[in-house]
Amino acid sequence: MDPASQDINLNSPNKGLGVDHSDSMADVPVEGAVANSVNPLPPGLTEEEAEELRTELMKVEEEINTLRQVLSAKERHAAELKRKLGLSPLNELRQNITKSWQDVQTSNAYLSASATLDDITHSEAYKKTQETLSQAGQKTSAALTTVGSAITRRLGDMRNSATFKSFEDKMGNLKVVGTKGNGDVSSPTDTTPTQENPPF
């Protein structure tokens, strides 16, 4: 027995046999192998029942395709009618938004919320809160005006101080320095040689 031709799979029915039966077994037909390899039948379903279901499935798919074609034709016809009436997608969008807003305004939730809001705005607590906020706003505005006036007065005092005047005089004595064409800073007494006139 040649070890190379021996089947080493322990679960194989040819285990330990030196004969290779794979060629001879390939031509043996297995009953129902053709039908089951393509679409295996569910348990409890006969071949006749499966054939009826396949036929019905084909009919339903044909009906679906027909309905799709009819729907497409109706959509084209509706688009043509809209074009003739001058209805553009933008006009339709406006109409849809307007209708939606009208629906919202007439909905129970909106009406209930609106009534609740009216009740709140007419309540004593709301009026007191509004008055308090108004007074607080007026006081804050007055305080900011006072702070602004104080800052302005302090800046005026600083400007009139001796230190600021001394600083202002020093800043006034600085000369403005220009630039040369190549971006270098020059001063009135600049005698540095340039590349055009090297020192050598």
Side-chain angles (χ1 to χ4, degrees), residues 147-162 164-165 168:
V147 169
S149 299
I151 290 173
T152 304
R153 195 170 44 249
R154 287 295 255 174
L155 287 174
D157 293 346
M158 277 179 50
R159 186 152 193 212
N160 293 331
S161 71
F164 187 80
K165 287 192 181 260
E168 190 176 34

Side-chain angles (χ1 to χ4, degrees), residues 131-200:
E131 288 173 12
T132 304
L133 289 175
S134 175
Q135 290 173 358
Q138 290 171 356
K139 288 180 181 179
T140 303
S141 176
L144 289 175
T145 303
T146 304
V147 169
S149 299
I151 290 173
T152 304
R153 195 170 44 249
R154 287 295 255 174
L155 287 174
D157 293 346
M158 277 179 50
R159 186 152 193 212
N160 293 331
S161 71
T163 307
F164 187 80
K165 287 192 181 260
S166 170
F167 178 73
E168 190 176 34
D169 289 340
K170 288 179 184 177
M171 293 301 288
N173 290 335
L174 289 178
K175 292 183 180 178
V176 176
V177 179
T179 58
K180 293 182 181 180
N182 61 1
D184 292 337
V185 177
S186 65
S187 67
T189 59
D190 189 11
T191 58
T192 306
T194 61
Q195 288 296 84
E196 295 149 358
N197 301 326
F200 300 96

Side-chain angles (χ1 to χ4, degrees), residues 16-117:
L17 298 177
V19 181
D20 185 15
H21 295 289
S22 61
D23 292 338
S24 62
M25 296 297 285
D27 296 333
V28 177
V30 177
E31 186 177 323
V34 174
N36 290 341
S37 65
V38 176
N39 285 327
L41 295 176
L45 192 64
T46 65
E47 185 63 38
E48 293 82 27
E49 292 172 333
E51 191 59 37
E52 283 180 28
L53 291 175
R54 285 187 197 107
T55 305
E56 186 176 348
L57 177 63
M58 285 176 45
K59 287 180 184 178
V60 169
E61 287 176 344
E62 287 175 8
E63 288 174 3
I64 289 171
N65 286 333
T66 303
L67 291 172
R68 281 186 182 139
Q69 291 171 356
V70 169
L71 178 62
S72 177
K74 294 284 186 187
E75 286 175 340
R76 282 193 303 270
H77 185 64
E80 182 65 24
L81 292 174
K82 286 178 184 178
R83 186 188 64 74
K84 287 180 180 178
L85 288 171
L87 297 175
S88 68
L90 183 60
N91 290 340
E92 284 186 60
L93 180 63
R94 279 191 207 131
Q95 289 174 353
N96 288 342
I97 290 173
T98 303
K99 185 179 182 321
S100 298
W101 179 242
Q102 288 171 350
D103 291 346
V104 166
Q105 287 179 325
T106 58
S107 70
N108 289 336
Y110 181 83
L111 294 174
S112 173
S114 181
T116 304
L117 188 59

Side-chain angles (χ1 to χ4, degrees), residues 1-19:
M1 192 185 296
D2 183 17
S5 67
Q6 196 172 19
D7 191 354
I8 59 172
N9 185 353
L10 299 178
N11 294 327
S12 171
N14 298 329
K15 172 173 57 176
L17 298 177
V19 181

Side-chain angles (χ1 to χ4, degrees), residues 116-130:
T116 304
L117 188 59
D118 284 342
D119 292 345
I120 290 172
T121 57
H122 292 97
S123 69
E124 287 299 315
Y126 178 82
K127 289 178 182 176
K128 287 181 182 178
T129 304
Q130 187 178 19

